[in-house]
C-alpha cells in the first residue's frame, strides 16, 4: 500500500460523516410516531459512504429518485441536511451515495448483489445475515464489504431500527434504544 493511501475506516473526518448519517437516521426514527400502528410504513433510509466516484460499477440508477441537491449538497450543512432527509425518507426509494468528504450524490441507486463483478465472489463469504434483516439491510451489509465502500447506514421503514454496517459487520439499535445517553466511540 502506498504511503499516501488513506485508511478511510479510521479517518476522523470520514468517521464524522458516518456519525452524521447515523444520528440523522436516528432523528428521523425518533420523530416518527406511527411505528406501533398496524400496516403503517414509516420513513426509510439507506446511505452508503463511498471512497470512489465510480460507484456506477456496482450500482444502478433508481429511476427518478433523486436527492435534492438544490437545497442540500453535503452532510455538513446540518439544517439543510435534516430538512432534506425527512421528505426523502418517505417519498424516495433507493440508496443515497455519500462520498467520504460528505458530498451527497443526486441520483439515488440500487446496489447490485455481490458476485456480479469479477473478483467479488469471495466477498460473499464475509457476509452473515441476521433474522431481523429485510432486503434493505441485506443489501446494506453486502454493500459494506465492497472495498470502495466505507460504511452503510440504514433506517428500517418497518421498525425504526437504525443500523451501521462496516466490512460485513452490523451495529444495530432498535428504535427504543435510540436517543439514550451520548454515544462516543
Amino acid at each position: 500500500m502506498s504511503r499516501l493511501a488513506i485508511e478511510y475506516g479510521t479517518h476522523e473526518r470520514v468517521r464524522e460523516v458516518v456519525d452524521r448519517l447515523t444520528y440523522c437516521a436516528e432523528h428521523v426514527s425518533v420523530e416518527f410516531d406511527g411505528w406501533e400502528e398496524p400496516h403503517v410504513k414509516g420513513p426509510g433510509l439507506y446511505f452508503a459512504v463511498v471512497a470512489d466516484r465510480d460507484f456506477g460499477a456496482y450500482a444502478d440508477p433508481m429511476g427518478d429518485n433523486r436527492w435534492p441537491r438544490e437545497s442540500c449538497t453535503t452532510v455538513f450543512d446540518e439544517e439543510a441536511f435534516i430538512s432534506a432527509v425527512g421528505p426523502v425518507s418517505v417519498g424516495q426509494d433507493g440508496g443515497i451515495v455519500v462520498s467520504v468528504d460528505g458530498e451527497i450524490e443526486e441520483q439515488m441507486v440500487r446496489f447490485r448483489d455481490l458476485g456480479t463483478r469479477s473478483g467479488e465472489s469471495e466477498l460473499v463469504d464475509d457476509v452473515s445475515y441476521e433474522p431481523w434483516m429485510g432486503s434493505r439491510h441485506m443489501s446494506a451489509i453486502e454493500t459494506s464489504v465492497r472495498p470502495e465502500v466505507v460504511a452503510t447506514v440504514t433506517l428500517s421503514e418497518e421498525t425504526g431500527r437504525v443500523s451501521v454496517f462496516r466490512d460485513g459487520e452490523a451495529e444495530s439499535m432498535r428504535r427504543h434504544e435510540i436517543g439514550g445517553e451520548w454515544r462516543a466511540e
Side-chain angles (χ1 to χ4, degrees):
M1 182 177 274
S2 167
R3 292 184 311 193
L4 296 177
I6 296 173
E7 180 56 48
Y8 290 113
T10 58
H11 190 274
E12 185 177 331
R13 184 75 164 175
V14 177
R15 290 175 61 95
E16 184 178 352
V17 169
V18 174
D19 286 347
R20 285 173 180 268
L21 297 173
T22 303
Y23 299 144
C24 187
E26 290 177 354
H27 170 78
V28 172
S29 180
V30 169
E31 288 291 306
F32 182 69
D33 292 331
W35 295 115
E36 304 302 322
E37 296 178 28
H39 311 295
V40 170
K41 177 183 149 191
L45 292 166
Y46 181 175
F47 294 106
V49 179
V50 299
D52 73 317
R53 295 283 183 185
D54 190 24
F55 57 88
Y58 51 91
D60 297 312
M62 272 299 272
D64 293 332
N65 293 295
R66 302 274 192 274
W67 178 264
R69 279 195 50 92
E70 66 279 355
S71 62
C72 179
T73 60
T74 177
V75 302
F76 292 104
D77 185 347
E78 291 179 33
E79 287 185 36
F81 186 51
I82 291 292
S83 294
V85 81
V88 168
S89 71
V90 294
Q92 303 289 338
D93 192 18
I96 302 162
V97 178
V98 180
S99 66
V100 291
D101 64 0
E103 288 292 310
I104 307 166
E105 294 290 330
E106 181 178 28
Q107 177 66 60
M108 294 173 69
V109 301
R110 182 193 73 78
F111 292 100
R112 293 188 201 123
D113 295 338
L114 284 176
T116 57
R117 291 191 313 176
S118 105
E120 285 187 341
S121 57
E122 71 275 0
L123 294 176
V124 175
D125 295 336
D126 295 336
V127 176
S128 176
Y129 305 106
E130 298 292 331
W132 57 264
M133 291 180 179
S135 60
R136 175 176 290 152
H137 306 96
M138 292 168 81
S139 172
I141 198 168
E142 284 186 11
T143 300
S144 79
V145 300
R146 294 182 186 279
E148 306 91 341
V149 177
V150 177
T152 57
V153 178
T154 60
L155 166 61
S156 170
E157 62 189 24
E158 285 84 23
T159 65
R161 176 191 291 260
V162 175
S163 304
V164 179
F165 303 92
R166 291 181 180 96
D167 298 320
E169 298 291 323
E171 180 183 316
S172 188
M173 294 184 66
R174 294 183 193 111
R175 185 170 185 277
H176 70 273
E177 298 169 328
I178 296 171
E181 291 185 37
W182 177 259
R183 295 183 323 276
E185 292 184 330

